[in-house]
Amino acid sequence: MKVFMEWTYVTPKKKEMVWTSTEMEVTEALFFAEDIERTGRVKQLLFYDASGVAWTKKELMKLMKEIETEPHDVIAYFDGGYDRQSKKAGIGIVIYYKQNGAQFRRRANAQLDELQSNNEAEYAAFYFLLEQIEHLGVHHLPVVFRGDAHVVLHQLSNDWPVFSDEGRWVERIEQKMKKLRISPIYEPINRKENSEADQLATQALRGKIIVSTIQLERE
């Protein structure tokens, strides 16, 4: 998680000036905050996350303690496929995360029958991914999203225009991320790099539903 600091400096004659830092990791920001406070010239010290939410030092330290016991360092993959003949969609997701000093992987898929295109299946897969992230208890954190549906990722990052067909999905996704206070990092990848999520989506189309969470061995 990255933040930037806003420090209100007060001179001995009570003149004030506001200083703003560059963005940095929370641990580094807290280190500098300790040093700044030693000057005795701090009227107010706030930390802002990527969503623009302000935190006091006490609140931020509490959050970091909570995060250590909750899922963090999240990297999430998604994929969706649509079969025109059966008019069914298969969606699959894979989430890698750390918790209590250990590494975990969650895999899940689902079969849907109310969609109308492969593109819609990709959006449904992304939303399903957010639901699984919410289920894990991820909040107030950056999350890396990876998929080979480049259209979806570029539209969500506002690089490409969103058309009416995708608009309702984009709105649902943005509302969910806002609720979870997630700061998304979008990383388009090729199909080979997305093989796990792709396999899960294919298995869902064939009626094989999977939901599993395992702890990974350390390298």
Side-chain angles (χ1 to χ4, degrees):
M1 179 178 177
K2 291 188 176 182
V3 297
F4 69 87
M5 292 186 295
E6 187 179 85
W7 167 29
T8 303
Y9 171 83
V10 183
T11 70
K13 294 184 178 181
K14 305 302 179 183
K15 289 187 177 182
E16 297 181 8
M17 180 175 288
V18 178
W19 300 87
T20 302
S21 76
T22 56
E23 191 178 61
M24 64 187 81
E25 292 293 338
V26 170
T27 51
E28 187 179 13
L30 289 171
F31 170 80
F32 280 114
E34 292 282 352
D35 195 61
I36 289 171
E37 286 179 331
R38 292 192 190 100
T39 65
R41 301 284 177 81
V42 179
K43 180 179 180 180
Q44 180 175 262
L45 182 60
L46 294 174
F47 304 82
Y48 290 86
D49 62 24
S51 300
V53 178
W55 304 81
T56 64
K57 180 185 169 187
K58 183 178 180 180
E59 289 170 340
L60 192 59
M61 291 178 69
K62 180 181 178 182
L63 175 66
M64 296 313 294
K65 287 182 179 180
E66 291 174 352
I67 286 174
E68 188 60 32
T69 60
E70 296 177 357
H72 57 280
D73 290 356
V74 181
I75 301 176
Y77 297 79
F78 72 99
D79 195 35
Y82 182 75
D83 182 60
R84 293 182 181 276
Q85 186 173 357
S86 65
K87 295 184 178 180
K88 292 185 181 295
I91 57 177
I93 65 93
V94 184
I95 305 170
Y96 289 91
Y97 62 95
K98 294 178 182 177
Q99 187 172 15
N100 293 319
Q103 177 85 39
F104 295 88
R105 182 191 68 189
R106 181 171 179 81
R107 300 165 69 238
N109 64 2
Q111 187 182 97
L112 305 175
D113 57 11
E114 68 270 20
L115 307 184
Q116 298 179 356
S117 68
N118 191 77
N119 197 45
E120 192 175 10
E122 296 282 13
Y123 268 108
F126 195 100
Y127 189 78
F128 179 63
L129 175 57
L130 285 178
E131 290 180 319
Q132 294 296 314
I133 286 174
E134 183 178 28
H135 175 75
L136 290 174
V138 177
H139 60 91
H140 293 88
L141 289 174
V143 174
V144 177
F145 293 100
R146 294 176 179 171
D148 58 85
H150 293 196
V151 172
V152 171
L153 295 178
H154 283 298
Q155 286 179 331
L156 288 173
S157 61
N158 296 318
D159 292 333
W160 293 359
V162 178
F163 301 101
S164 57
D165 291 344
E166 296 93 10
R168 66 186 182 92
W169 282 107
V170 171
E171 185 177 354
R172 290 180 67 191
I173 288 167
E174 288 179 344
Q175 286 178 349
K176 178 70 76 173
M177 282 199 280
K178 185 177 181 181
K179 174 186 174 183
L180 300 177
R181 297 285 180 87
I182 286 174
S183 300
I185 301 168
Y186 300 113
E187 294 185 357
I189 57 176
N190 61 45
R191 192 173 183 83
K192 185 177 180 181
E193 293 173 303
N194 203 34
S195 59
E196 281 189 291
D198 175 66
Q199 183 180 18
L200 286 164
T202 300
Q203 289 173 319
L205 272 174
R206 295 171 181 169
K208 185 177 181 180
I209 304 303
I210 297 169
V211 179
S212 71
T213 302
I214 63 170
Q215 181 174 336
L216 303 176
E217 294 184 5
R218 294 185 178 180
E219 296 182 358

